[in-house]
């Protein structure tokens, strides 16, 4: 059984640019959640997708957007990057919407210069 | 809003020492509570969970009991090993399915 994978592992962008992060969910999982983990902090919920529809959003501005595809993989897009967007971005998949069944990927580390 | 407060680190211990990481939460209703662990270079892994008051979660020698009266979910292990060195996160979840995490506690176990 393949676990949750994310790409790329590391990324460097400059302020104002746009970035797309990708997540492949675990087989059989229809729900994907994205979290932002700033250095030395706990992960903060960005949003969740269930069966290709957004199913909840945290306190993040609209320049953070996402997609979920029919195969339940997902993308996180961030426009107009700011320095404070530098963080580890975690994707978690689950077979339902419950948090107790979320399996996390290794993350994408984004540095904004 | 819902929040989790956990003991600040870093915590440094010798092998076979007793580990406690305090976690308290603020939430209305009846959240589920979790401990996640993040080993160096890896993603978050669920360590244990408890879904209702007085439940005890346990895994790999770690235990935590859901105490509604004190709104706490402290993590304990009786004898730590070097391999337990990691960052530990306390988290809660309510009906909205999102996990709310504490800031994390870094634990280093010396041989």
């Amino acid at each position: 059984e393949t676990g949750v994978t994310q790409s790329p592992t590391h990324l460097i962008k400059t302020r104002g640019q746009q970035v797309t992060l990708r997540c492949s969910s675990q087989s059989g999982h229809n729900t994907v959640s994205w979290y932002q983990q700033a250095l030395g902090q706990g992960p903060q919920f960005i949003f969740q997708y269930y069966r290709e529809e957004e199913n909840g959003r945290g306190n993040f501005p609209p320049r953070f957007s996402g997609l979920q595809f029919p195969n339940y993989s997902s993308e996180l897009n961030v426009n107009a990057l700011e320095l404070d967007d530098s963080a580890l971005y975690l994707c978690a998949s689950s077979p339902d919407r419950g948090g107790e069944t979320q399996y996390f990927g290794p993350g994408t580390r984004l540095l904004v210069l | 809003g819902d929040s989790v407060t956990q003991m600040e680190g870093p915590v440094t211990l010798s092998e076979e020492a007793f580990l406690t990481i305090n976690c308290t939460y603020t939430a209305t209703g009846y959240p589920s509570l979790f401990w996640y662990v993040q080993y160096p270079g890896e993603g978050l892994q669920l360590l244990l969970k408890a879904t209702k008051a007085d439940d005890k979660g346990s895994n790999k020698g770690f235990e935590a009991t859901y105490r509604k009266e004190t709104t706490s979910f402290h993590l304990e292990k009786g004898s730590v090993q070097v391999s337990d060195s990691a960052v530990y996160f306390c988290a809660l979840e309510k009906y909205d399915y999102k996990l709310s995490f504490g800031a994390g506690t870094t634990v280093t176990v010396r041989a």
Side-chain angles (χ1 to χ4, degrees):
Chain A
E1 183 177 83
T2 305
V4 179
T5 60
Q6 294 185 241
S7 63
T9 55
H10 295 82
L11 201 52
I12 300 174
K13 292 285 189 179
T14 56
R15 198 168 45 182
Q17 285 189 310
Q18 178 267 341
V19 69
T20 297
L21 310 182
R22 295 179 174 82
C23 172
S24 291
S25 55
Q26 192 162 315
S27 177
H29 289 188
N30 57 25
T31 304
V32 172
S33 302
W34 286 91
Y35 293 82
Q36 180 196 66
Q37 185 179 9
L39 195 63
Q41 301 294 317
Q44 298 293 314
F45 176 75
I46 303 175
F47 42 56
Q48 182 184 84
Y49 280 83
Y50 171 68
R51 295 184 181 273
E52 303 179 58
E53 298 286 331
E54 188 176 291
N55 184 51
R57 188 179 183 93
N59 295 324
F60 281 82
R63 60 189 184 83
F64 285 77
S65 63
L67 281 174
Q68 188 179 29
F69 300 100
N71 66 355
Y72 301 133
S73 65
S74 178
E75 285 182 355
L76 165 65
N77 299 288
V78 187
N79 295 321
L81 283 167
E82 301 177 359
L83 298 181
D84 285 348
D85 295 334
S86 296
L88 180 68
Y89 288 86
L90 297 167
C91 162
S93 77
S94 52
D96 54 43
R97 289 173 287 180
E100 63 183 79
T101 56
Q102 291 187 24
Y103 292 82
F104 283 81
T108 293
R109 187 162 296 282
L110 172 65
L111 177 61
V112 182
L113 301 176
Chain B
D2 301 336
S3 65
V4 174
T5 302
Q6 63 182 100
M7 184 173 116
E8 288 188 19
V11 174
T12 302
L13 302 165
S14 297
E15 244 183 342
E16 300 184 5
F18 184 87
L19 170 68
T20 299
I21 304 176
N22 290 339
C23 170
T24 57
Y25 68 90
T26 300
T28 56
Y30 302 93
S32 294
L33 301 175
F34 308 87
W35 277 100
Y36 279 83
V37 59
Q38 190 172 37
Y39 298 104
E42 298 184 17
L44 289 169
Q45 299 176 25
L46 178 64
L47 181 60
L48 53 83
K49 65 183 182 185
T51 57
K52 61 183 187 296
D54 300 326
D55 267 3
K56 177 185 282 189
S58 60
N59 186 26
K60 299 182 181 181
F62 290 89
E63 293 184 340
T65 301
Y66 189 143
R67 301 286 188 201
K68 188 160 178 62
E69 63 275 16
T70 54
T71 62
S72 65
F73 193 55
H74 304 322
L75 182 68
E76 296 181 337
K77 186 174 185 182
S79 178
V80 294
Q81 305 300 312
V82 172
S83 57
D84 293 324
S85 298
V87 183
Y88 293 82
F89 294 93
C90 186
L92 69 82
E93 183 215 34
K94 284 171 61 178
Y95 59 86
D96 56 1
Y97 310 117
K98 70 175 186 180
L99 288 165
S100 297
F101 289 88
T105 301
T106 301
V107 174
T108 302
V109 181
R110 299 176 304 193

